[in-house]
Amino acid sequence: MENIILRDAITIADPQAIRTITESTGYFYPDEVDITEGIAVERLEKGLPSRYQFLFADTTEGLTIGYACFGLIPCTRRSFDIFWLAVHKDFQGVGVGKELIASVEKSILTLGGKTIYLDTASRPLYEPTRQFYQRCDYIAEAQLKDFYDYGDDKIIFAKRL
């Protein structure tokens, strides 16, 4: 997408930006929003030892409109997880998410990663999310029944780089 600047340096303003983006989507429960913000705070406090890496999508005017949080999965050598990926509802459907995920994949390759995992819910609300991951060549490899709640399975996607 034009007029989008990607950056990997986290700033003091990013935890609130992450909260705003995540809340805007209408997809996440309040406790999930709290977690996304808390992970950003942890990264600010601990730096790289936090194990969380971020990529942000900003407009040329400096508005943060999307982010991805990823990292090496503990006890693995080359497997990474995309923990969170969200684009503000006002900027969805124009390529921001695709640009973020492609850039995360490049970063993971640079870090020696070979496989990326990510998971999402099976609720109907998440159908566009699942379709997005499939369009980005992720394959649903596992489904854990009633993981999040009764009738809400966890679907684990993977992509080999």
Side-chain angles (χ1 to χ4, degrees), residues 100-109 116 136 138 159 161:
L100 275 169
I101 205 165
S103 293
V104 166
E105 290 168 1
K106 287 178 189 173
S107 294
I108 289 172
L109 267 173
I116 300 173
C136 293
Y138 285 77
K159 182 174 185 176
L161 301 174

Side-chain angles (χ1 to χ4, degrees), residues 30-102:
D31 59 326
E32 292 173 315
V33 173
D34 292 343
I35 289 169
T36 62
E37 183 181 29
I39 288 171
V41 170
E42 180 178 335
R43 173 57 198 260
L44 280 169
E45 291 173 351
K46 294 182 179 179
L48 279 177
S50 75
R51 93 168 220 246
Y52 299 111
Q53 299 192 48
F54 284 88
L55 188 64
F56 297 93
D58 296 340
T59 66
T60 53
E61 294 80 27
L63 179 65
T64 302
I65 61 170
Y67 75 95
C69 175
F70 62 98
L72 181 68
I73 299 170
C75 300
T76 71
R77 301 293 181 258
R78 297 176 181 265
S79 296
F80 281 72
D81 204 344
I82 297 177
F83 302 110
W84 303 94
L85 187 138
V87 174
H88 192 283
K89 70 177 176 113
D90 295 342
F91 295 90
Q92 292 178 358
V94 296
V96 177
K98 191 165 188 151
E99 195 167 332
L100 275 169
I101 205 165

Side-chain angles (χ1 to χ4, degrees), residues 89-145:
K89 70 177 176 113
D90 295 342
F91 295 90
Q92 292 178 358
V94 296
V96 177
K98 191 165 188 151
E99 195 167 332
L100 275 169
I101 205 165
S103 293
V104 166
E105 290 168 1
K106 287 178 189 173
S107 294
I108 289 172
L109 267 173
T110 300
L111 293 167
K114 295 297 180 195
T115 306
I116 300 173
Y117 295 93
L118 54 85
D119 48 75
T120 192
S122 68
R123 290 179 292 169
L125 174 67
Y126 281 83
E127 181 59 28
T129 302
R130 294 188 296 274
Q131 290 176 4
F132 168 75
Y133 292 141
Q134 290 168 334
R135 285 192 307 274
C136 293
D137 299 321
Y138 285 77
I139 297 168
E141 290 201 348
Q143 188 163 342
L144 308 178
K145 295 288 183 196

Side-chain angles (χ1 to χ4, degrees), residues 13-33:
D14 287 326
Q16 181 58 50
I18 286 170
R19 173 174 285 283
T20 299
I21 292 164
T22 307
E23 285 176 333
S24 81
T25 68
Y27 281 70
F28 300 99
Y29 293 119
D31 59 326
E32 292 173 315
V33 173

